Amino acid sequence: MLEVRGGNPLDGTVRVRGAKNLVPKAMVASLLGETPSVLRGVPKIRDVEIVTGLLELHGVRVSSAPDGDQPDGELHLDPADVAQGSIVDIDAHAGSSRIPILFCGPLLHSLGQAFIPDLGGCHIGDRPINFHLDVLRQFGAEVVKTPGGIMLKAGSRLQGTKVELPYPSVGATEQVLLTAVRAEGVTELRGAAIEPEIMDLIALLQKMGAIITVDTDRVVRIEGVETLRGFIHRALPDRNETASWASAALATGGDIFVAGASQPELITFLNIFRKIGGEFDVQESGIRFRHPGGRLRSFALETDVHPGFMTDWQQPLVVAMTQAEGLSIIHETVYENRFGFTDALRSMGAKIQLYRECLGGTPCRFGRRNYLHSAVIAGPAALKGTRIDVPDLRGGFSHLIAALAAQGTSEVHGIELINRGYENFLDKLSGLGAEVSA
């Protein structure tokens, strides 16, 4: 439990390192190489700990220098002794993460088999693994369901294939990339996700010796190779953490410099941040975000896959929008249950109404499926401290922002979920002048 005393602007500097949505996948990619890999910019987050443990269970040697000697967050990954891990150990270690599904392609290439335990992750909507299993079957893998999970087997080398995704799923795109690079022949992926983290993964795989072409209209072609080498790679900065701190500055009337933040991956977010009334300054070493004073402006927004407005940016920004003048409308088109976190905001005094209708023109999968996936926010609202239970990673950090913007004291329970994607967030909050105590 975290006790938060709100009502004060956040002011100061925080640093972001490599993206949570890239670093764990880059670690998995090290399984594909025949020589060691070096990954830089690695944050100390729970997802990295989980993948480190899973890699070690499969015989990969993972080492890092202490921050005092190596402040860059550098990991060394050596797959020389890769082996099948214990099913019991894998299941026990990976219960809170969905990353194990991405081990399948690399392990099928190296060992001819892979085990997937029951998968966890944030409860923000339906994220089935059937995309992944269908893709792996197309490559030639045999899928066998067991009481504790799923066993996959490959009797011979996996074969390149043609894959068309019905939706540009990030996870399914990663699965194809990590499997196709060592499959025999050419793989063509249509409907691919093209998020910056996907492009960074492609750059990393190319360093390893992969041959990958990214065409227009979300078409990716991979020419399989027999062997790959290790990589030396610096992960791109975490744009989601950056947007979260930017939203915190806006919601609390603060001024936060995010060291390590990069502009190109945030252009869509920065446009909205400016339209709302926030100000930012892009500098060589990061981006400064601040509330200039006065009222924020209401707006209408729809989330979408890249290059649209990221769904992960929506939740922290909703908190800031409770302080905007007038009615704001947000249409969520990526995850159907992403507005569950607003219950806590309403208990704090926010005026938020949810709707099943699509309040926007972006093509949406949820309009006729009875999901509360549009929100109307009336502001400004005076938020008051209360008890909060964290529902998921981004929603949890959004609750922290609300508690910091509210008058009075809040009790935030379940903060361990926030550790999945925010490095040293309690120390960072204290450094910004927040009054928090565990």
Side-chain angles (χ1 to χ4, degrees), residues 22-333:
L22 179 276
V23 168
K25 292 74 178 285
M27 294 171 66
V28 173
S30 70
L31 282 166
L32 292 162
E34 293 191 344
T35 56
S37 293
V38 178
L39 182 61
R40 296 184 176 128
V42 178
K44 292 183 177 179
I45 56 176
R46 179 60 180 155
D47 275 14
V48 168
E49 293 176 4
I50 290 171
V51 177
T52 295
L54 288 170
L55 287 171
E56 290 175 338
L57 287 174
H58 286 92
V60 178
R61 292 192 294 275
V62 183
S63 61
S64 60
D67 262 7
D69 300 326
Q70 179 53 260
D72 203 24
E74 184 171 291
L75 277 186
H76 293 248
L77 307 110
D78 187 351
D81 299 318
V82 64
Q84 177 61 50
S86 160
I87 290 177
V88 174
D89 290 341
I90 294 171
D91 192 27
H93 193 82
S96 63
S97 173
R98 299 179 67 86
I99 292 293
I101 188 70
L102 296 179
F103 276 66
C104 294
L107 289 176
L108 286 169
H109 287 304
S110 300
L111 304 175
Q113 63 179 17
F115 173 74
I116 312 170
D118 292 328
L119 300 176
C122 291
H123 302 292
I124 55 176
D126 185 25
R127 301 199 287 184
I129 65 169
N130 57 313
F131 275 7
H132 298 266
L133 298 180
D134 289 346
V135 163
L136 291 164
R137 286 190 184 97
Q138 285 184 244
F139 280 103
E142 177 188 1
V143 179
V144 180
K145 294 183 179 180
T146 70
I150 298 171
M151 179 65 75
L152 293 98
K153 298 180 181 180
S156 58
R157 186 178 177 189
L158 298 179
Q159 300 294 305
T161 186
K162 290 188 176 182
V163 179
E164 184 163 0
L165 299 179
Y167 183 78
S169 161
V170 169
T173 300
E174 292 164 342
Q175 185 70 261
V176 171
L177 290 170
L178 292 169
T179 305
V181 287
R182 284 187 55 189
E184 185 175 9
V186 177
T187 295
E188 180 182 272
L189 172 62
R190 293 186 174 272
I194 54 171
E195 272 68 7
E197 294 81 8
I198 291 288
M199 301 310 295
D200 206 33
L201 180 61
I202 289 173
L204 178 152
L205 292 169
Q206 188 181 58
K207 289 179 180 180
M208 300 179 75
I211 302 172
I212 304 173
T213 303
V214 181
D215 296 332
T216 57
D217 299 327
R218 299 183 179 274
V219 177
V220 178
R221 289 182 177 84
I222 307 104
E223 298 179 37
V225 297
E226 287 192 19
T227 61
L228 294 170
R229 56 184 174 271
F231 59 80
I232 299 176
H233 188 77
R234 179 182 299 279
L236 83 169
D238 196 313
R239 60 191 176 126
N240 294 337
E241 184 179 357
T242 298
S244 295
W245 291 116
S247 298
L250 207 57
T252 66
D255 187 335
I256 300 176
F257 178 71
V258 184
S262 173
Q263 179 188 14
E265 299 82 26
L266 285 164
I267 286 177
T268 303
F269 175 84
L270 294 174
N271 286 336
I272 295 297
F273 190 85
R274 180 167 280 161
K275 287 180 180 180
I276 294 168
E279 292 189 1
F280 63 88
D281 300 305
V282 178
Q283 302 176 23
E284 185 175 349
S285 58
I287 305 175
R288 178 190 177 194
F289 298 93
R290 63 190 181 91
H291 190 309
R295 293 292 192 191
L296 299 177
R297 296 185 287 270
S298 58
F299 71 105
L301 171 70
E302 297 180 86
T303 66
D304 202 358
V305 296
H306 186 78
F309 192 91
M310 271 199 80
T311 180
D312 286 337
W313 298 336
Q314 172 257 109
Q315 289 169 295
L317 198 63
V318 163
V319 181
M321 294 322 301
T322 66
Q323 305 307 303
E325 189 81 44
L327 294 179
S328 294
I329 300 172
I330 298 182
H331 178 210
E332 171 63 48
T333 74

Side-chain angles (χ1 to χ4, degrees), residues 319-394:
V319 181
M321 294 322 301
T322 66
Q323 305 307 303
E325 189 81 44
L327 294 179
S328 294
I329 300 172
I330 298 182
H331 178 210
E332 171 63 48
T333 74
V334 179
Y335 290 127
E336 63 271 31
N337 290 328
R338 196 124 218 187
F339 284 123
F341 81 105
T342 59
D343 290 343
L345 300 185
R346 283 194 292 270
S347 72
M348 301 176 78
K351 300 171 184 177
I352 302 174
Q353 182 66 48
L354 302 183
Y355 294 89
R356 291 176 172 82
E357 293 78 16
C358 295
L359 300 183
T362 298
C364 177
R365 299 171 292 162
F366 313 131
R368 297 181 180 179
R369 293 175 59 191
N370 208 31
Y371 293 115
L372 294 168
H373 70 293
S374 293
V376 175
I377 306 160
L383 302 181
K384 296 181 180 180
T386 187
R387 177 196 163 103
I388 302 170
D389 292 298
V390 169
D392 59 74
L393 172 61
R394 304 300 170 194

